[in-house]
Amino acid sequence: MQERSSVGELVKQLRRELDRYSPGGKLPSSRALVERFRVSPVTVSRALAQLAAEGLVVTRPGAGAFRAQPRATAAPAGDTSWQELALSADGALDLVPRTVDASGVTVSLAAPQPGVIEFNGGYLHPSLQPERAMAAALSRAGRRPGAWGRPPLDGLQELREWFARSIGGPGGAVTAGVLITAGGQSALTTALRALAPPGAPVLVESPTYPGMLAIARASGLRPVPVPVDADGVKPALLADAFRATGARVFVCQPLFQNPTGAVLAPDRRAAVLRIAREAGAFVVEDDFVRRLVHEDAGPLPPPLAADDADGVVVHVGSLTKATSPSFRVSALAARGPVLERLRAIQVVDTFFVPRPLQEAAVELVGSPAWPRHLRALSAELKTRRDVMTTALRRDLPELALPHIPSGGYHLWLRLPDGADESALTAAALRAGVAITPGRPYFSAEPPAAHVRLSFAAVGGTAEITEGVRRLRTACDEVL
């Protein structure tokens, strides 16, 4: 019997026998299952991983497999059918219908079932987070005079100065143009609401971050794709898109672009700024992973905002990716009259970022632990990237890896022609590994099927190797 069919038969048999065990009850050991069903240890491991992915069992390293607790049954609901009419009655009045679709975001936010390897995560694994440094910073922050009072609406002066120095620009740091915001997603939402009215087109890289596409669509904007290659967005196509659409906003990630990992080439940086200026448009620069540079990267280019004297760039920088998903501190930076509109929307939406969190950010980035953390993170991300790249080339050569980034936390792979990325995503989950399909990264029809694999959300290099092995099983099933 082939390995794949053996796994399927064992899964069926174990599924039938689960009622023998109470919730939380321990299943027979892997050795016992090997002897009883006369299968290999690999078959047992894969069968348990599939049951874990289905939420039927929980695997605990060193302890074994246990029947999962039953999911709570929802109480009978009232009749909410009236909401369908209420939520759609005004749709005819919208120039561009607003669609609130969080699926492209939740795929990297939702924690997978126990036993499933997380290649779809968008944040650092706890082992990579500076937990002790953050805890110490928060403790010190809580003792600062006035730490629990109301902060300045623009944010703490110390924190704004720190972000301003990291951005740089003509004339040095311009603290007056920096607003502290509650994470990069909040900053992007404020920027798009400030710069484009409902119904307007907004130019976006293709592919690009699904969370930004969701913001645009929820605001009634119309994302228009501009293709990128290994050197970032293509200036000629960007100019064509501005002329064709009359757009006044272009959203880009010049450094380690999500998902391709591309860095905007030096000769294209000036071209992007010039093209936007000639179009009378803003460039929203999402500089989200500047602090996730790999150890082998050369000198990083400065933010686009550092080369902008005319107020073209609205810059978004964040601490979240390099710390923790709950450390939601970021900054918006801009020049000129647009700053007042950004400030007004920021205040209306959120009032201000909680002062204790801002104080903790000041303590963290000013401590000796911060540069130590960044150095250790840089080395570990390179190691993980190399382990994943090696495993993919060895075990999955049919998945094309056109670019290996020197920063960020993921790889972008093209599937063979005709491949079904949804089927592969589902098969991967059955095999015990969660991956991110490529479709949500495109605002229009994608040129090919892709998947994105994160190497930062897992526990270590052993999990990366095992995850690629499980992905091989999924590819054998559907490709």
Side-chain angles (χ1 to χ4, degrees), residues 12 35 90 142 146 185-186 277 311 315 330 352 362 368 388 423 452:
K12 292 178 183 178
E35 294 175 354
D90 294 336
Q185 191 76 358
S186 174
R277 180 68 185 85
H315 179 90
S330 62
F352 45 75
V362 172
M388 179 174 276
R452 196 193 77 159

Side-chain angles (χ1 to χ4, degrees), residues 125-460:
H125 187 270
S127 64
L128 297 179
Q129 297 173 18
E131 290 185 341
R132 293 180 61 184
M134 288 190 294
L138 193 59
S139 177
R140 294 192 301 271
R143 297 191 297 270
R144 281 185 162 210
W148 296 92
R150 182 174 59 195
L153 291 182
D154 287 0
L156 295 183
Q157 181 73 11
E158 292 174 87
L159 189 56
R160 293 168 61 223
E161 289 175 352
W162 183 85
F163 273 110
R165 287 193 298 272
S166 68
I167 297 167
V174 184
T175 308
V178 176
L179 309 174
I180 301 302
T181 62
Q185 191 76 358
S186 174
L188 288 171
T189 301
T190 297
L192 287 182
R193 287 188 59 200
L195 301 176
V202 55
L203 305 187
V204 301
E205 294 173 312
S206 182
T208 192
Y209 168 51
M212 185 274 297
L213 294 177
I215 292 169
R217 290 167 177 148
S219 300
L221 304 178
R222 179 164 53 89
V224 177
V226 183
V228 300
D229 58 20
D231 291 324
V233 70
K234 299 179 179 181
L237 295 181
L238 179 64
D240 289 344
F242 273 125
R243 283 192 295 269
T245 65
R248 291 295 179 264
V249 181
F250 169 51
V251 186
C252 67
Q253 296 174 327
L255 187 66
F256 309 131
Q257 196 258 1
N258 182 14
T260 67
V263 175
L264 187 62
D267 61 320
R268 294 188 181 186
R269 290 168 56 90
V272 166
L273 293 177
R274 174 183 53 78
I275 290 167
R277 180 68 185 85
E278 291 173 353
F282 290 96
V283 174
V284 177
E285 178 185 24
D286 182 9
D287 200 19
F288 73 116
V289 288
R290 179 165 292 273
R291 295 168 185 87
L292 296 189
V293 62
H294 299 172
E295 192 176 44
D296 60 347
L300 295 185
L304 282 180
D307 296 333
D308 169 39
D310 298 327
V312 171
V313 177
V314 174
H315 179 90
V316 177
S318 176
L319 286 172
T320 305
K321 288 296 185 185
T323 54
S324 158
S326 291
F327 205 83
R328 306 204 63 75
V329 177
S330 62
L332 266 172
R335 296 170 180 272
V338 70
L339 183 63
E340 187 54 41
R341 185 180 294 187
L342 292 167
R343 179 184 290 114
I345 292 177
Q346 157 85 359
V347 170
V348 168
D349 282 352
T350 62
F351 286 5
F352 45 75
V353 177
R355 182 161 189 156
L357 194 56
Q358 293 192 53
E359 299 277 9
V362 172
E363 290 284 350
L364 177 64
V365 300
S367 71
W370 179 242
R372 288 200 299 268
H373 163 65
L374 294 182
R375 286 194 297 270
L377 181 60
S378 177
E380 178 63 19
L381 288 176
K382 175 188 178 299
T383 297
R384 289 173 176 229
R385 180 205 67 194
D386 291 346
V387 168
M388 179 174 276
T389 300
T390 299
L392 288 169
R393 286 174 168 169
R394 180 187 65 235
D395 298 338
L396 290 162
E398 66 269 41
L399 303 188
L401 181 58
H403 177 65
I404 300 175
S406 56
Y409 55 91
H410 61 263
L411 298 177
W412 179 243
L413 297 107
R414 176 169 174 158
L415 304 186
D417 291 343
D420 185 334
E421 67 185 39
S422 297
L424 178 59
T425 302
L429 194 58
R430 290 193 296 272
V433 58
I435 63 176
T436 305
R439 182 63 186 88
Y441 291 83
F442 293 91
S443 60
E445 292 77 12
H450 295 80
V451 294
R452 196 193 77 159
L453 305 183
S454 168
F455 46 78
V458 297

